[in-house]
Amino acid sequence: MLDISKSIYNLDDSDIADNLLHYSYNTKHLLSLIEKGVDKEDPAYLSSYRSFEGEVYENYLYEKLLRYAEQNDDIEKFILKGFHQNKFKSHPNTLSISEKQQIVYRTKSREISEFDAMLFTKNKELYFVEMTLVKSVLKLRKRLRKKKALLEIIFPNYEIKALIILNEGASGVKQFPSYCKVWFTKEYSASKILDYIVQNRKNKRKLVPKDIVKSKKMIEAHSLKLHPFRYYNTMTWLTKTLRSHKKHILDIYFLMNHKVQRYHNLYNKLYIGFINIEDAQKLLKIDKQEYKIDQRVVVAIEKKHTDEIVLTYYIQKTRKNLYLYSFDDENRVVKEKKDPYGITVTEVFHINKFMDDSYKLSLYNLKTIKKLLKDNYLRKA
């Protein structure tokens, strides 16, 4: 059983030496605000401080979980990160440690998921850990769904669960799925760590050496054996199969297969074809002058946090210049610029190269697909 210890609940730091002070923190902006004398209630200060405090909270809980895992007989393996592990190189298509010393799964060029901590029990359970100071956790559900799906694919012989660690008073907890175990700690403050960082800029204080937990349970991410998974190959196969039905524009039975839905949870969106810019102008009310006449608009079926599947549209002007068009709850068009270094930019580029003219969709096709998805969602509801 993974029950919270009194030490973790009470935020006791007596057993982790000066370890929290050995971590690197992104405090450049916060320290500049302090130097300028910005009021602590100023929105800019609050935003920067909360981000820093979240970093410290994660590091504190990781230190405590290391010691918790060492003492808990149900835990068989615990993944090392930060200064507790030796390997810093991030390898593609496997779990490894990123340059920021976090546990990640990545393709050759992009991170797919990052994990705050990860542990394996003797009962063939794999827990991934989410730690956050955010008071409302409703938006966490989509992230949890993606991470669980990935781990189910690469660790098919384990039951995947999540350990969520929050401050007391967090709302939305009842919305978590049944695979989530939730721990609450007392309200955390990183003020002591910030005071040390501010003071240490002028007066260097000698720290107690790092306290490293040594146990056979502690392993490095790259040593784990994973089920083979190729991110882009699988994505292409899904697109191809979704459109390969002899009679229907979209194979809805294939889409709703539980294994395919696991992939949908991971990717969040599956690409099914494209429309021309002329049809996009009618559908999305976009400016005729904004895009070239031969511009493709990639169509995806995207899963919302409610599990409803909707159509979304991607326009890639250049390799890193990508726009998402979708409809809000009032059926208004919403335009969003995507992160030029995010995974979606690479996905759309890859799938666009793969799709030939047979993947072209008409407005009538879109209407049919939209109805299929809506009817299926209402049946499930």
PDB file of all heavy atoms in Angstrom, residues 197-223:
ATOM      1  N   ILE A 197      19.037  31.647  -1.343  1.00  0.00           N
ATOM      2  CA  ILE A 197      19.541  32.016  -2.669  1.00  0.00           C
ATOM      3  C   ILE A 197      19.877  33.508  -2.719  1.00  0.00           C
ATOM      4  O   ILE A 197      20.925  33.905  -3.244  1.00  0.00           O
ATOM      5  CB  ILE A 197      18.508  31.652  -3.765  1.00  0.00           C
ATOM      6  CG1 ILE A 197      18.393  30.124  -3.892  1.00  0.00           C
ATOM      7  CG2 ILE A 197      18.887  32.262  -5.112  1.00  0.00           C
ATOM      8  CD1 ILE A 197      17.251  29.661  -4.784  1.00  0.00           C
ATOM      9  N   VAL A 198      19.002  34.345  -2.155  1.00  0.00           N
ATOM     10  CA  VAL A 198      19.225  35.798  -2.148  1.00  0.00           C
ATOM     11  C   VAL A 198      20.473  36.135  -1.329  1.00  0.00           C
ATOM     12  O   VAL A 198      21.350  36.886  -1.776  1.00  0.00           O
ATOM     13  CB  VAL A 198      17.991  36.532  -1.586  1.00  0.00           C
ATOM     14  CG1 VAL A 198      18.301  38.016  -1.369  1.00  0.00           C
ATOM     15  CG2 VAL A 198      16.803  36.366  -2.530  1.00  0.00           C
ATOM     16  N   GLN A 199      20.564  35.552  -0.136  1.00  0.00           N
ATOM     17  CA  GLN A 199      21.695  35.855   0.755  1.00  0.00           C
ATOM     18  C   GLN A 199      23.007  35.274   0.227  1.00  0.00           C
ATOM     19  O   GLN A 199      24.081  35.858   0.390  1.00  0.00           O
ATOM     20  CB  GLN A 199      21.410  35.315   2.155  1.00  0.00           C
ATOM     21  CG  GLN A 199      20.273  36.031   2.858  1.00  0.00           C
ATOM     22  CD  GLN A 199      19.755  35.280   4.067  1.00  0.00           C
ATOM     23  OE1 GLN A 199      20.405  34.353   4.563  1.00  0.00           O
ATOM     24  NE2 GLN A 199      18.574  35.665   4.543  1.00  0.00           N
ATOM     25  N   ASN A 200      22.924  34.125  -0.433  1.00  0.00           N
ATOM     26  CA  ASN A 200      24.128  33.431  -0.888  1.00  0.00           C
ATOM     27  C   ASN A 200      24.815  34.151  -2.046  1.00  0.00           C
ATOM     28  O   ASN A 200      25.970  33.888  -2.349  1.00  0.00           O
ATOM     29  CB  ASN A 200      23.768  32.006  -1.320  1.00  0.00           C
ATOM     30  CG  ASN A 200      24.989  31.130  -1.484  1.00  0.00           C
ATOM     31  OD1 ASN A 200      25.787  30.986  -0.561  1.00  0.00           O
ATOM     32  ND2 ASN A 200      25.157  30.576  -2.670  1.00  0.00           N
ATOM     33  N   ARG A 201      24.116  35.075  -2.672  1.00  0.00           N
ATOM     34  CA  ARG A 201      24.731  35.830  -3.772  1.00  0.00           C
ATOM     35  C   ARG A 201      25.851  36.717  -3.250  1.00  0.00           C
ATOM     36  O   ARG A 201      26.802  37.024  -3.977  1.00  0.00           O
ATOM     37  CB  ARG A 201      23.675  36.692  -4.476  1.00  0.00           C
ATOM     38  CG  ARG A 201      22.551  35.877  -5.104  1.00  0.00           C
ATOM     39  CD  ARG A 201      21.475  36.777  -5.661  1.00  0.00           C
ATOM     40  NE  ARG A 201      21.821  37.280  -6.981  1.00  0.00           N
ATOM     41  CZ  ARG A 201      21.195  38.262  -7.607  1.00  0.00           C
ATOM     42  NH1 ARG A 201      20.191  38.882  -6.997  1.00  0.00           N
ATOM     43  NH2 ARG A 201      21.557  38.657  -8.800  1.00  0.00           N
ATOM     44  N   LYS A 202      25.754  37.095  -1.978  1.00  0.00           N
ATOM     45  CA  LYS A 202      26.776  37.968  -1.384  1.00  0.00           C
ATOM     46  C   LYS A 202      27.650  37.215  -0.383  1.00  0.00           C
ATOM     47  O   LYS A 202      28.870  37.373  -0.354  1.00  0.00           O
ATOM     48  CB  LYS A 202      26.096  39.160  -0.692  1.00  0.00           C
ATOM     49  CG  LYS A 202      25.357  40.077  -1.669  1.00  0.00           C
ATOM     50  CD  LYS A 202      24.681  41.221  -0.930  1.00  0.00           C
ATOM     51  CE  LYS A 202      23.945  42.133  -1.907  1.00  0.00           C
ATOM     52  NZ  LYS A 202      23.228  43.233  -1.196  1.00  0.00           N
ATOM     53  N   ASN A 203      27.007  36.413   0.451  1.00  0.00           N
ATOM     54  CA  ASN A 203      27.743  35.687   1.490  1.00  0.00           C
ATOM     55  C   ASN A 203      27.605  34.185   1.275  1.00  0.00           C
ATOM     56  O   ASN A 203      26.570  33.599   1.588  1.00  0.00           O
ATOM     57  CB  ASN A 203      27.198  36.061   2.882  1.00  0.00           C
ATOM     58  CG  ASN A 203      27.276  37.560   3.122  1.00  0.00           C
ATOM     59  OD1 ASN A 203      28.338  38.154   2.990  1.00  0.00           O
ATOM     60  ND2 ASN A 203      26.143  38.161   3.463  1.00  0.00           N
ATOM     61  N   LYS A 204      28.632  33.560   0.719  1.00  0.00           N
ATOM     62  CA  LYS A 204      28.609  32.126   0.430  1.00  0.00           C
ATOM     63  C   LYS A 204      28.595  31.328   1.725  1.00  0.00           C
ATOM     64  O   LYS A 204      29.425  31.551   2.612  1.00  0.00           O
ATOM     65  CB  LYS A 204      29.833  31.728  -0.399  1.00  0.00           C
ATOM     66  CG  LYS A 204      29.861  32.337  -1.794  1.00  0.00           C
ATOM     67  CD  LYS A 204      28.909  31.627  -2.724  1.00  0.00           C
ATOM     68  CE  LYS A 204      28.995  32.198  -4.135  1.00  0.00           C
ATOM     69  NZ  LYS A 204      28.050  31.549  -5.050  1.00  0.00           N
ATOM     70  N   ARG A 205      27.630  30.420   1.825  1.00  0.00           N
ATOM     71  CA  ARG A 205      27.545  29.553   3.002  1.00  0.00           C
ATOM     72  C   ARG A 205      27.937  28.145   2.596  1.00  0.00           C
ATOM     73  O   ARG A 205      27.492  27.642   1.570  1.00  0.00           O
ATOM     74  CB  ARG A 205      26.111  29.547   3.529  1.00  0.00           C
ATOM     75  CG  ARG A 205      25.884  28.596   4.691  1.00  0.00           C
ATOM     76  CD  ARG A 205      24.408  28.430   4.973  1.00  0.00           C
ATOM     77  NE  ARG A 205      24.073  27.014   5.123  1.00  0.00           N
ATOM     78  CZ  ARG A 205      22.845  26.538   5.136  1.00  0.00           C
ATOM     79  NH1 ARG A 205      21.827  27.348   4.987  1.00  0.00           N
ATOM     80  NH2 ARG A 205      22.631  25.244   5.283  1.00  0.00           N
ATOM     81  N   LYS A 206      28.773  27.504   3.380  1.00  0.00           N
ATOM     82  CA  LYS A 206      29.191  26.144   3.080  1.00  0.00           C
ATOM     83  C   LYS A 206      28.042  25.189   3.367  1.00  0.00           C
ATOM     84  O   LYS A 206      27.474  25.194   4.462  1.00  0.00           O
ATOM     85  CB  LYS A 206      30.411  25.757   3.908  1.00  0.00           C
ATOM     86  CG  LYS A 206      31.032  24.439   3.472  1.00  0.00           C
ATOM     87  CD  LYS A 206      32.325  24.162   4.209  1.00  0.00           C
ATOM     88  CE  LYS A 206      32.927  22.848   3.723  1.00  0.00           C
ATOM     89  NZ  LYS A 206      34.196  22.543   4.434  1.00  0.00           N
ATOM     90  N   LEU A 207      27.689  24.373   2.364  1.00  0.00           N
ATOM     91  CA  LEU A 207      26.563  23.448   2.499  1.00  0.00           C
ATOM     92  C   LEU A 207      27.011  22.093   3.024  1.00  0.00           C
ATOM     93  O   LEU A 207      28.148  21.673   2.812  1.00  0.00           O
ATOM     94  CB  LEU A 207      25.880  23.248   1.137  1.00  0.00           C
ATOM     95  CG  LEU A 207      25.202  24.459   0.509  1.00  0.00           C
ATOM     96  CD1 LEU A 207      24.689  24.096  -0.887  1.00  0.00           C
ATOM     97  CD2 LEU A 207      24.065  24.967   1.379  1.00  0.00           C
ATOM     98  N   VAL A 208      26.077  21.431   3.683  1.00  0.00           N
ATOM     99  CA  VAL A 208      26.293  20.027   4.043  1.00  0.00           C
ATOM    100  C   VAL A 208      26.345  19.245   2.729  1.00  0.00           C
ATOM    101  O   VAL A 208      25.554  19.497   1.818  1.00  0.00           O
ATOM    102  CB  VAL A 208      25.127  19.508   4.922  1.00  0.00           C
ATOM    103  CG1 VAL A 208      25.260  18.007   5.184  1.00  0.00           C
ATOM    104  CG2 VAL A 208      25.062  20.293   6.225  1.00  0.00           C
ATOM    105  N   PRO A 209      27.289  18.299   2.572  1.00  0.00           N
ATOM    106  CA  PRO A 209      27.368  17.521   1.321  1.00  0.00           C
ATOM    107  C   PRO A 209      26.045  16.836   0.988  1.00  0.00           C
ATOM    108  O   PRO A 209      25.225  16.563   1.869  1.00  0.00           O
ATOM    109  CB  PRO A 209      28.462  16.486   1.625  1.00  0.00           C
ATOM    110  CG  PRO A 209      29.287  17.115   2.708  1.00  0.00           C
ATOM    111  CD  PRO A 209      28.331  17.919   3.534  1.00  0.00           C
ATOM    112  N   LYS A 210      25.842  16.570  -0.291  1.00  0.00           N
ATOM    113  CA  LYS A 210      24.624  15.901  -0.743  1.00  0.00           C
ATOM    114  C   LYS A 210      24.439  14.570  -0.025  1.00  0.00           C
ATOM    115  O   LYS A 210      25.380  13.795   0.111  1.00  0.00           O
ATOM    116  CB  LYS A 210      24.692  15.643  -2.256  1.00  0.00           C
ATOM    117  CG  LYS A 210      24.755  16.888  -3.093  1.00  0.00           C
ATOM    118  CD  LYS A 210      25.087  16.542  -4.548  1.00  0.00           C
ATOM    119  CE  LYS A 210      25.304  17.803  -5.369  1.00  0.00           C
ATOM    120  NZ  LYS A 210      25.811  17.488  -6.711  1.00  0.00           N
ATOM    121  N   ASP A 211      23.209  14.325   0.410  1.00  0.00           N
ATOM    122  CA  ASP A 211      22.877  13.050   1.061  1.00  0.00           C
ATOM    123  C   ASP A 211      22.292  12.128  -0.013  1.00  0.00           C
ATOM    124  O   ASP A 211      21.162  12.315  -0.448  1.00  0.00           O
ATOM    125  CB  ASP A 211      21.862  13.280   2.178  1.00  0.00           C
ATOM    126  CG  ASP A 211      21.546  11.994   2.933  1.00  0.00           C
ATOM    127  OD1 ASP A 211      22.475  11.335   3.397  1.00  0.00           O
ATOM    128  OD2 ASP A 211      20.347  11.642   3.010  1.00  0.00           O
ATOM    129  N   ILE A 212      23.054  11.150  -0.461  1.00  0.00           N
ATOM    130  CA  ILE A 212      22.662  10.249  -1.537  1.00  0.00           C
ATOM    131  C   ILE A 212      22.132   8.933  -0.959  1.00  0.00           C
ATOM    132  O   ILE A 212      22.799   8.293  -0.153  1.00  0.00           O
ATOM    133  CB  ILE A 212      23.840   9.964  -2.491  1.00  0.00           C
ATOM    134  CG1 ILE A 212      24.416  11.280  -3.035  1.00  0.00           C
ATOM    135  CG2 ILE A 212      23.413   9.044  -3.623  1.00  0.00           C
ATOM    136  CD1 ILE A 212      23.461  12.107  -3.859  1.00  0.00           C
ATOM    137  N   VAL A 213      20.924   8.567  -1.379  1.00  0.00           N
ATOM    138  CA  VAL A 213      20.316   7.310  -0.926  1.00  0.00           C
ATOM    139  C   VAL A 213      20.911   6.159  -1.741  1.00  0.00           C
ATOM    140  O   VAL A 213      20.835   6.160  -2.972  1.00  0.00           O
ATOM    141  CB  VAL A 213      18.778   7.344  -1.104  1.00  0.00           C
ATOM    142  CG1 VAL A 213      18.167   6.006  -0.717  1.00  0.00           C
ATOM    143  CG2 VAL A 213      18.183   8.472  -0.279  1.00  0.00           C
ATOM    144  N   LYS A 214      21.490   5.193  -1.047  1.00  0.00           N
ATOM    145  CA  LYS A 214      22.093   4.038  -1.721  1.00  0.00           C
ATOM    146  C   LYS A 214      21.277   2.792  -1.421  1.00  0.00           C
ATOM    147  O   LYS A 214      21.137   2.396  -0.267  1.00  0.00           O
ATOM    148  CB  LYS A 214      23.546   3.863  -1.275  1.00  0.00           C
ATOM    149  CG  LYS A 214      24.439   5.009  -1.711  1.00  0.00           C
ATOM    150  CD  LYS A 214      25.872   4.831  -1.254  1.00  0.00           C
ATOM    151  CE  LYS A 214      26.738   6.010  -1.709  1.00  0.00           C
ATOM    152  NZ  LYS A 214      28.140   5.865  -1.256  1.00  0.00           N
ATOM    153  N   SER A 215      20.694   2.233  -2.464  1.00  0.00           N
ATOM    154  CA  SER A 215      19.840   1.058  -2.319  1.00  0.00           C
ATOM    155  C   SER A 215      19.755   0.343  -3.656  1.00  0.00           C
ATOM    156  O   SER A 215      19.820   0.979  -4.719  1.00  0.00           O
ATOM    157  CB  SER A 215      18.437   1.480  -1.855  1.00  0.00           C
ATOM    158  OG  SER A 215      17.521   0.418  -1.989  1.00  0.00           O
ATOM    159  N   LYS A 216      19.585  -0.969  -3.627  1.00  0.00           N
ATOM    160  CA  LYS A 216      19.427  -1.751  -4.855  1.00  0.00           C
ATOM    161  C   LYS A 216      18.120  -1.393  -5.582  1.00  0.00           C
ATOM    162  O   LYS A 216      17.959  -1.679  -6.762  1.00  0.00           O
ATOM    163  CB  LYS A 216      19.449  -3.243  -4.542  1.00  0.00           C
ATOM    164  CG  LYS A 216      20.823  -3.758  -4.114  1.00  0.00           C
ATOM    165  CD  LYS A 216      20.789  -5.255  -3.835  1.00  0.00           C
ATOM    166  CE  LYS A 216      22.176  -5.746  -3.427  1.00  0.00           C
ATOM    167  NZ  LYS A 216      22.153  -7.205  -3.117  1.00  0.00           N
ATOM    168  N   LYS A 217      17.206  -0.784  -4.869  1.00  0.00           N
ATOM    169  CA  LYS A 217      15.934  -0.368  -5.481  1.00  0.00           C
ATOM    170  C   LYS A 217      16.121   0.792  -6.455  1.00  0.00           C
ATOM    171  O   LYS A 217      15.313   0.988  -7.353  1.00  0.00           O
ATOM    172  CB  LYS A 217      14.935   0.070  -4.402  1.00  0.00           C
ATOM    173  CG  LYS A 217      14.457  -1.030  -3.477  1.00  0.00           C
ATOM    174  CD  LYS A 217      13.461  -0.449  -2.478  1.00  0.00           C
ATOM    175  CE  LYS A 217      12.920  -1.504  -1.540  1.00  0.00           C
ATOM    176  NZ  LYS A 217      11.910  -0.946  -0.610  1.00  0.00           N
ATOM    177  N   MET A 218      17.169   1.573  -6.240  1.00  0.00           N
ATOM    178  CA  MET A 218      17.381   2.786  -7.029  1.00  0.00           C
ATOM    179  C   MET A 218      18.041   2.444  -8.358  1.00  0.00           C
ATOM    180  O   MET A 218      19.155   1.931  -8.387  1.00  0.00           O
ATOM    181  CB  MET A 218      18.244   3.778  -6.245  1.00  0.00           C
ATOM    182  CG  MET A 218      17.732   4.071  -4.844  1.00  0.00           C
ATOM    183  SD  MET A 218      16.045   4.695  -4.861  1.00  0.00           S
ATOM    184  CE  MET A 218      15.542   4.403  -3.156  1.00  0.00           C
ATOM    185  N   ILE A 219      17.334   2.734  -9.456  1.00  0.00           N
ATOM    186  CA  ILE A 219      17.862   2.394 -10.779  1.00  0.00           C
ATOM    187  C   ILE A 219      17.785   3.602 -11.706  1.00  0.00           C
ATOM    188  O   ILE A 219      17.037   4.549 -11.462  1.00  0.00           O
ATOM    189  CB  ILE A 219      17.097   1.203 -11.405  1.00  0.00           C
ATOM    190  CG1 ILE A 219      15.624   1.563 -11.642  1.00  0.00           C
ATOM    191  CG2 ILE A 219      17.212  -0.041 -10.546  1.00  0.00           C
ATOM    192  CD1 ILE A 219      14.871   0.528 -12.452  1.00  0.00           C
ATOM    193  N   GLU A 220      18.570   3.553 -12.782  1.00  0.00           N
ATOM    194  CA  GLU A 220      18.560   4.634 -13.762  1.00  0.00           C
ATOM    195  C   GLU A 220      17.592   4.313 -14.888  1.00  0.00           C
ATOM    196  O   GLU A 220      17.405   3.158 -15.259  1.00  0.00           O
ATOM    197  CB  GLU A 220      19.972   4.871 -14.288  1.00  0.00           C
ATOM    198  CG  GLU A 220      20.913   5.242 -13.147  1.00  0.00           C
ATOM    199  CD  GLU A 220      22.189   5.914 -13.611  1.00  0.00           C
ATOM    200  OE1 GLU A 220      22.255   6.311 -14.787  1.00  0.00           O
ATOM    201  OE2 GLU A 220      23.095   6.061 -12.793  1.00  0.00           O
ATOM    202  N   ALA A 221      16.964   5.324 -15.407  1.00  0.00           N
ATOM    203  CA  ALA A 221      15.875   5.158 -16.383  1.00  0.00           C
ATOM    204  C   ALA A 221      16.303   4.346 -17.603  1.00  0.00           C
ATOM    205  O   ALA A 221      15.548   3.520 -18.108  1.00  0.00           O
ATOM    206  CB  ALA A 221      15.347   6.523 -16.810  1.00  0.00           C
ATOM    207  N   HIS A 222      17.507   4.589 -18.099  1.00  0.00           N
ATOM    208  CA  HIS A 222      17.949   3.943 -19.334  1.00  0.00           C
ATOM    209  C   HIS A 222      18.119   2.429 -19.179  1.00  0.00           C
ATOM    210  O   HIS A 222      18.221   1.709 -20.175  1.00  0.00           O
ATOM    211  CB  HIS A 222      19.268   4.566 -19.810  1.00  0.00           C
ATOM    212  CG  HIS A 222      20.420   4.291 -18.887  1.00  0.00           C
ATOM    213  ND1 HIS A 222      21.242   3.200 -19.027  1.00  0.00           N
ATOM    214  CD2 HIS A 222      20.867   4.958 -17.797  1.00  0.00           C
ATOM    215  CE1 HIS A 222      22.153   3.215 -18.073  1.00  0.00           C
ATOM    216  NE2 HIS A 222      21.941   4.274 -17.312  1.00  0.00           N
ATOM    217  N   SER A 223      18.149   1.921 -17.935  1.00  0.00           N
ATOM    218  CA  SER A 223      18.353   0.490 -17.709  1.00  0.00           C
ATOM    219  C   SER A 223      17.061  -0.326 -17.844  1.00  0.00           C
ATOM    220  O   SER A 223      17.102  -1.556 -17.872  1.00  0.00           O
ATOM    221  CB  SER A 223      18.949   0.253 -16.310  1.00  0.00           C
ATOM    222  OG  SER A 223      17.994   0.581 -15.302  1.00  0.00           O
TER     223      SER A 223
END
